[in-house]
Amino acid sequence: MTPNLERLLSEDALSFPDLAQERNVTLPTVWRWVSAGLQGVRLESFRMGGKRLATRQAFLRFIAALNNLPLPDRAAIGRKKSVERAEKILARAGI
């Protein structure tokens, strides 16, 4: 397995329709980002179970590359997700 695929599989997978809805773009736009790219940058994706998927993190890398921005800090993103999960658990417990 390639390092890129391993990274994608460890990230938050989204179907193309879900990504389009989450980012308020059309489904053909997501397909175009994957197949042709934009300004020489392609959105990373992978196939699983007959479906093509992208990840939230891949979308962030795509946007960062388009805007010549540094990549998001993966550790900070991981911490934020951990805090969000903990808050959900506490909320379910009524704390």
Side-chain angles (χ1 to χ4, degrees), residues 12 78 80-90 92:
D12 301 323
K80 181 179 177 189
K81 288 175 126 186
S82 294
V83 168
E84 289 171 356
R85 278 193 296 267
E87 287 173 345
K88 286 179 185 177
I89 292 169
L90 291 172
R92 277 189 239 129

Side-chain angles (χ1 to χ4, degrees), residues 28-64:
T29 296
V30 174
W31 275 103
R32 191 170 39 257
W33 290 341
V34 169
S35 60
L38 184 62
Q39 300 173 10
V41 180
R42 285 187 175 182
L43 175 61
E44 298 167 283
S45 68
F46 60 98
R47 183 176 290 282
M48 184 186 304
K51 289 187 175 185
R52 176 74 58 187
L53 303 169
T55 68
R56 284 187 177 91
Q57 294 82 353
F59 178 77
L60 290 174
R61 288 189 295 273
F62 175 71
I63 294 301

Side-chain angles (χ1 to χ4, degrees), residues 1-11 44 46 61 74:
M1 190 177 324
T2 66
N4 190 40
L5 181 57
E6 286 182 36
R7 179 181 65 197
L8 286 171
L9 291 174
S10 71
E11 296 175 343
E44 298 167 283
F46 60 98
R61 288 189 295 273
R74 290 180 66 167

